[in-house]
């Protein structure tokens, strides 16, 4: 049961990043302008897409889970601070706290790993044999 719960947890945490990464590709110019309006260089967008899409897929498959989870935890907190810090706006406050909650989920993944239904587990099992 724990292995299934860990898998479903990884699915839940990963989907928002996979979908968001694809969305940034589809709306590249608009996303770049949005980043620049927040004071960030638009040239960082390929790195953001790589982290969201690649990181989301890594979490989903359970590969390099602990390291990717730490990267996405830091990214989620940075996104909260840079894009959702206007807590007087209810929608921004919800997004801020959503990012904080995702950070908590990623920190749990970093602490406990991906679980038995993951590539990490399969690789560790093969190394031990």
């Amino acid at each position: 049961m724990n292995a299934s719960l860990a898998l479903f947890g990884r699915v839940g945490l990963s989907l928002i990043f996979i979908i968001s990464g694809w969305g940034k590709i589809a709306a590249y110019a608009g996303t770049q302008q949005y980043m620049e309006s927040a004071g960030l260089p638009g040239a960082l967008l390929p790195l953001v897409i790589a982290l969201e899409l690649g990181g989301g897929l890594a979490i989903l498959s359970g590969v390099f889970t602990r390291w990717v989870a730490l990267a996405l935890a830091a990214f989620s907190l940075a996104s909260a601070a840079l894009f959702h810090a206007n807590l007087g706006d209810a929608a921004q406050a919800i997004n801020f706290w959503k990012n904080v909650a995702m950070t908590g989920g990623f920190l749990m993944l970093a602490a406990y790993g991906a679980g038995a239904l993951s590539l990490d587990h399969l690789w560790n099992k093969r190394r031990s044999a």
Side-chain angles (χ1 to χ4, degrees), residues 86-116:
N86 181 6
L87 300 180
D89 177 338
Q92 292 304 315
I94 289 169
N95 282 319
F96 179 90
W97 292 113
K98 170 202 54 120
N99 281 33
V100 171
M102 289 188 309
T103 298
F106 285 124
L107 292 176
M108 292 294 290
L109 266 180
Y112 296 103

mmCIF file of all heavy atoms in Angstrom, residues 86-116:
data_model
loop_
_atom_site.group_PDB
_atom_site.id
_atom_site.type_symbol
_atom_site.label_atom_id
_atom_site.label_comp_id
_atom_site.label_asym_id
_atom_site.label_seq_id
_atom_site.Cartn_x
_atom_site.Cartn_y
_atom_site.Cartn_z
ATOM 1 N N ASN A 86 1.987 38.866 -3.420
ATOM 2 C CA ASN A 86 0.949 39.843 -3.086
ATOM 3 C C ASN A 86 -0.176 39.132 -2.338
ATOM 4 O O ASN A 86 -1.200 38.778 -2.906
ATOM 5 C CB ASN A 86 0.415 40.508 -4.362
ATOM 6 C CG ASN A 86 -0.649 41.539 -4.069
ATOM 7 O OD1 ASN A 86 -0.932 41.847 -2.911
ATOM 8 N ND2 ASN A 86 -1.256 42.076 -5.106
ATOM 9 N N LEU A 87 0.027 38.931 -1.035
ATOM 10 C CA LEU A 87 -0.928 38.167 -0.238
ATOM 11 C C LEU A 87 -2.238 38.912 0.001
ATOM 12 O O LEU A 87 -3.204 38.315 0.479
ATOM 13 C CB LEU A 87 -0.285 37.738 1.076
ATOM 14 C CG LEU A 87 0.957 36.843 0.926
ATOM 15 C CD1 LEU A 87 1.525 36.473 2.287
ATOM 16 C CD2 LEU A 87 0.667 35.617 0.109
ATOM 17 N N GLY A 88 -2.287 40.190 -0.355
ATOM 18 C CA GLY A 88 -3.533 40.943 -0.270
ATOM 19 C C GLY A 88 -4.505 40.571 -1.375
ATOM 20 O O GLY A 88 -5.702 40.811 -1.269
ATOM 21 N N ASP A 89 -4.013 39.981 -2.442
ATOM 22 C CA ASP A 89 -4.829 39.493 -3.550
ATOM 23 C C ASP A 89 -5.129 38.019 -3.263
ATOM 24 O O ASP A 89 -4.220 37.196 -3.170
ATOM 25 C CB ASP A 89 -4.040 39.654 -4.857
ATOM 26 C CG ASP A 89 -4.748 39.111 -6.081
ATOM 27 O OD1 ASP A 89 -5.646 38.257 -5.942
ATOM 28 O OD2 ASP A 89 -4.383 39.525 -7.196
ATOM 29 N N ALA A 90 -6.408 37.691 -3.122
ATOM 30 C CA ALA A 90 -6.794 36.337 -2.717
ATOM 31 C C ALA A 90 -6.251 35.273 -3.674
ATOM 32 O O ALA A 90 -5.779 34.218 -3.229
ATOM 33 C CB ALA A 90 -8.309 36.229 -2.610
ATOM 34 N N ALA A 91 -6.302 35.524 -4.967
ATOM 35 C CA ALA A 91 -5.811 34.535 -5.934
ATOM 36 C C ALA A 91 -4.300 34.333 -5.782
ATOM 37 O O ALA A 91 -3.811 33.201 -5.842
ATOM 38 C CB ALA A 91 -6.151 34.965 -7.354
ATOM 39 N N GLN A 92 -3.578 35.421 -5.572
ATOM 40 C CA GLN A 92 -2.132 35.307 -5.381
ATOM 41 C C GLN A 92 -1.801 34.617 -4.064
ATOM 42 O O GLN A 92 -0.847 33.839 -3.989
ATOM 43 C CB GLN A 92 -1.465 36.678 -5.461
ATOM 44 C CG GLN A 92 -1.502 37.297 -6.845
ATOM 45 C CD GLN A 92 -0.875 36.398 -7.893
ATOM 46 O OE1 GLN A 92 0.190 35.827 -7.701
ATOM 47 N NE2 GLN A 92 -1.555 36.273 -9.021
ATOM 48 N N ALA A 93 -2.579 34.894 -3.038
ATOM 49 C CA ALA A 93 -2.354 34.233 -1.748
ATOM 50 C C ALA A 93 -2.565 32.724 -1.870
ATOM 51 O O ALA A 93 -1.770 31.935 -1.335
ATOM 52 C CB ALA A 93 -3.279 34.812 -0.680
ATOM 53 N N ILE A 94 -3.590 32.309 -2.597
ATOM 54 C CA ILE A 94 -3.829 30.879 -2.808
ATOM 55 C C ILE A 94 -2.648 30.259 -3.545
ATOM 56 O O ILE A 94 -2.153 29.190 -3.173
ATOM 57 C CB ILE A 94 -5.151 30.650 -3.566
ATOM 58 C CG1 ILE A 94 -6.338 30.972 -2.647
ATOM 59 C CG2 ILE A 94 -5.247 29.224 -4.109
ATOM 60 C CD1 ILE A 94 -7.672 31.047 -3.355
ATOM 61 N N ASN A 95 -2.173 30.925 -4.598
ATOM 62 C CA ASN A 95 -1.024 30.407 -5.344
ATOM 63 C C ASN A 95 0.239 30.379 -4.493
ATOM 64 O O ASN A 95 1.044 29.449 -4.598
ATOM 65 C CB ASN A 95 -0.799 31.224 -6.622
ATOM 66 C CG ASN A 95 -1.783 30.840 -7.705
ATOM 67 O OD1 ASN A 95 -2.074 29.677 -7.900
ATOM 68 N ND2 ASN A 95 -2.292 31.833 -8.402
ATOM 69 N N PHE A 96 0.421 31.388 -3.660
ATOM 70 C CA PHE A 96 1.575 31.409 -2.763
ATOM 71 C C PHE A 96 1.565 30.186 -1.851
ATOM 72 O O PHE A 96 2.547 29.454 -1.756
ATOM 73 C CB PHE A 96 1.565 32.705 -1.933
ATOM 74 C CG PHE A 96 2.704 32.811 -0.964
ATOM 75 C CD1 PHE A 96 3.894 33.405 -1.349
ATOM 76 C CD2 PHE A 96 2.591 32.332 0.335
ATOM 77 C CE1 PHE A 96 4.962 33.501 -0.467
ATOM 78 C CE2 PHE A 96 3.649 32.422 1.229
ATOM 79 C CZ PHE A 96 4.834 33.018 0.829
ATOM 80 N N TRP A 97 0.427 29.955 -1.183
ATOM 81 C CA TRP A 97 0.354 28.848 -0.234
ATOM 82 C C TRP A 97 0.344 27.492 -0.930
ATOM 83 O O TRP A 97 0.840 26.499 -0.389
ATOM 84 C CB TRP A 97 -0.835 29.015 0.710
ATOM 85 C CG TRP A 97 -0.609 30.189 1.621
ATOM 86 C CD1 TRP A 97 -1.292 31.364 1.639
ATOM 87 C CD2 TRP A 97 0.431 30.315 2.601
ATOM 88 N NE1 TRP A 97 -0.739 32.207 2.583
ATOM 89 C CE2 TRP A 97 0.315 31.587 3.187
ATOM 90 C CE3 TRP A 97 1.457 29.476 3.039
ATOM 91 C CZ2 TRP A 97 1.175 32.031 4.185
ATOM 92 C CZ3 TRP A 97 2.317 29.928 4.032
ATOM 93 C CH2 TRP A 97 2.157 31.196 4.597
ATOM 94 N N LYS A 98 -0.170 27.431 -2.173
ATOM 95 C CA LYS A 98 -0.078 26.206 -2.972
ATOM 96 C C LYS A 98 1.389 25.861 -3.201
ATOM 97 O O LYS A 98 1.796 24.712 -3.050
ATOM 98 C CB LYS A 98 -0.794 26.382 -4.315
ATOM 99 C CG LYS A 98 -0.558 25.250 -5.306
ATOM 100 C CD LYS A 98 -0.820 25.678 -6.741
ATOM 101 C CE LYS A 98 -0.053 26.879 -7.134
ATOM 102 N NZ LYS A 98 0.864 26.879 -8.187
ATOM 103 N N ASN A 99 2.186 26.868 -3.534
ATOM 104 C CA ASN A 99 3.615 26.628 -3.760
ATOM 105 C C ASN A 99 4.312 26.193 -2.470
ATOM 106 O O ASN A 99 5.193 25.340 -2.511
ATOM 107 C CB ASN A 99 4.281 27.880 -4.334
ATOM 108 C CG ASN A 99 4.028 28.032 -5.811
ATOM 109 O OD1 ASN A 99 2.980 27.656 -6.327
ATOM 110 N ND2 ASN A 99 4.988 28.597 -6.511
ATOM 111 N N VAL A 100 3.922 26.776 -1.361
ATOM 112 C CA VAL A 100 4.489 26.362 -0.075
ATOM 113 C C VAL A 100 4.116 24.903 0.217
ATOM 114 O O VAL A 100 4.959 24.114 0.650
ATOM 115 C CB VAL A 100 4.031 27.296 1.068
ATOM 116 C CG1 VAL A 100 4.423 26.743 2.429
ATOM 117 C CG2 VAL A 100 4.601 28.697 0.863
ATOM 118 N N ALA A 101 2.872 24.535 -0.075
ATOM 119 C CA ALA A 101 2.438 23.146 0.138
ATOM 120 C C ALA A 101 3.206 22.186 -0.767
ATOM 121 O O ALA A 101 3.633 21.108 -0.322
ATOM 122 C CB ALA A 101 0.936 23.015 -0.112
ATOM 123 N N MET A 102 3.407 22.568 -2.032
ATOM 124 C CA MET A 102 4.183 21.721 -2.939
ATOM 125 C C MET A 102 5.614 21.572 -2.429
ATOM 126 O O MET A 102 6.198 20.481 -2.507
ATOM 127 C CB MET A 102 4.186 22.290 -4.359
ATOM 128 C CG MET A 102 2.851 22.177 -5.046
ATOM 129 S SD MET A 102 2.864 22.621 -6.792
ATOM 130 C CE MET A 102 3.667 24.198 -6.814
ATOM 131 N N THR A 103 6.158 22.646 -1.893
ATOM 132 C CA THR A 103 7.503 22.578 -1.314
ATOM 133 C C THR A 103 7.541 21.514 -0.224
ATOM 134 O O THR A 103 8.484 20.712 -0.152
ATOM 135 C CB THR A 103 7.919 23.949 -0.758
ATOM 136 O OG1 THR A 103 7.950 24.890 -1.840
ATOM 137 C CG2 THR A 103 9.273 23.890 -0.080
ATOM 138 N N GLY A 104 6.532 21.493 0.619
ATOM 139 C CA GLY A 104 6.462 20.479 1.674
ATOM 140 C C GLY A 104 6.428 19.070 1.108
ATOM 141 O O GLY A 104 7.120 18.173 1.609
ATOM 142 N N GLY A 105 5.647 18.862 0.062
ATOM 143 C CA GLY A 105 5.595 17.549 -0.574
ATOM 144 C C GLY A 105 6.945 17.149 -1.145
ATOM 145 O O GLY A 105 7.384 16.001 -0.994
ATOM 146 N N PHE A 106 7.625 18.096 -1.778
ATOM 147 C CA PHE A 106 8.945 17.791 -2.344
ATOM 148 C C PHE A 106 9.979 17.519 -1.260
ATOM 149 O O PHE A 106 10.849 16.659 -1.429
ATOM 150 C CB PHE A 106 9.409 18.906 -3.279
ATOM 151 C CG PHE A 106 8.700 18.884 -4.604
ATOM 152 C CD1 PHE A 106 8.023 19.999 -5.053
ATOM 153 C CD2 PHE A 106 8.707 17.751 -5.394
ATOM 154 C CE1 PHE A 106 7.367 19.979 -6.268
ATOM 155 C CE2 PHE A 106 8.051 17.716 -6.613
ATOM 156 C CZ PHE A 106 7.371 18.837 -7.049
ATOM 157 N N LEU A 107 9.878 18.224 -0.149
ATOM 158 C CA LEU A 107 10.806 17.953 0.952
ATOM 159 C C LEU A 107 10.567 16.555 1.537
ATOM 160 O O LEU A 107 11.521 15.867 1.923
ATOM 161 C CB LEU A 107 10.702 19.036 2.022
ATOM 162 C CG LEU A 107 11.212 20.416 1.577
ATOM 163 C CD1 LEU A 107 10.966 21.447 2.671
ATOM 164 C CD2 LEU A 107 12.674 20.372 1.181
ATOM 165 N N MET A 108 9.312 16.115 1.570
ATOM 166 C CA MET A 108 9.016 14.748 2.006
ATOM 167 C C MET A 108 9.629 13.738 1.037
ATOM 168 O O MET A 108 10.205 12.736 1.461
ATOM 169 C CB MET A 108 7.502 14.531 2.120
ATOM 170 C CG MET A 108 6.845 15.325 3.237
ATOM 171 S SD MET A 108 7.374 14.821 4.872
ATOM 172 C CE MET A 108 6.591 13.235 4.978
ATOM 173 N N LEU A 109 9.512 14.006 -0.264
ATOM 174 C CA LEU A 109 10.136 13.116 -1.255
ATOM 175 C C LEU A 109 11.650 13.085 -1.083
ATOM 176 O O LEU A 109 12.272 12.029 -1.185
ATOM 177 C CB LEU A 109 9.811 13.597 -2.668
ATOM 178 C CG LEU A 109 8.614 12.991 -3.376
ATOM 179 C CD1 LEU A 109 8.453 13.591 -4.764
ATOM 180 C CD2 LEU A 109 8.706 11.488 -3.447
ATOM 181 N N ALA A 110 12.229 14.242 -0.851
ATOM 182 C CA ALA A 110 13.681 14.298 -0.654
ATOM 183 C C ALA A 110 14.085 13.506 0.593
ATOM 184 O O ALA A 110 15.107 12.831 0.597
ATOM 185 C CB ALA A 110 14.148 15.750 -0.538
ATOM 186 N N ALA A 111 13.278 13.563 1.616
ATOM 187 C CA ALA A 111 13.601 12.875 2.863
ATOM 188 C C ALA A 111 13.408 11.362 2.768
ATOM 189 O O ALA A 111 14.224 10.600 3.279
ATOM 190 C CB ALA A 111 12.738 13.432 4.004
ATOM 191 N N TYR A 112 12.330 10.918 2.117
ATOM 192 C CA TYR A 112 11.962 9.512 2.152
ATOM 193 C C TYR A 112 12.130 8.777 0.831
ATOM 194 O O TYR A 112 12.004 7.554 0.789
ATOM 195 C CB TYR A 112 10.521 9.359 2.661
ATOM 196 C CG TYR A 112 10.395 9.824 4.082
ATOM 197 C CD1 TYR A 112 9.825 11.053 4.383
ATOM 198 C CD2 TYR A 112 10.878 9.042 5.123
ATOM 199 C CE1 TYR A 112 9.736 11.488 5.693
ATOM 200 C CE2 TYR A 112 10.790 9.479 6.435
ATOM 201 C CZ TYR A 112 10.214 10.704 6.713
ATOM 202 O OH TYR A 112 10.140 11.125 8.006
ATOM 203 N N GLY A 113 12.398 9.496 -0.249
ATOM 204 C CA GLY A 113 12.597 8.848 -1.539
ATOM 205 C C GLY A 113 11.299 8.565 -2.262
ATOM 206 O O GLY A 113 10.205 8.877 -1.789
ATOM 207 N N ALA A 114 11.441 7.932 -3.424
ATOM 208 C CA ALA A 114 10.322 7.737 -4.339
ATOM 209 C C ALA A 114 9.452 6.535 -4.024
ATOM 210 O O ALA A 114 8.340 6.428 -4.501
ATOM 211 C CB ALA A 114 10.855 7.611 -5.766
ATOM 212 N N GLY A 115 9.965 5.610 -3.244
ATOM 213 C CA GLY A 115 9.193 4.417 -2.931
ATOM 214 C C GLY A 115 9.547 3.254 -3.849
ATOM 215 O O GLY A 115 10.369 3.375 -4.763
ATOM 216 N N ALA A 116 8.903 2.127 -3.612
ATOM 217 C CA ALA A 116 9.244 0.884 -4.306
ATOM 218 C C ALA A 116 8.847 0.886 -5.780
ATOM 219 O O ALA A 116 9.439 0.167 -6.571
ATOM 220 C CB ALA A 116 8.597 -0.300 -3.594
#
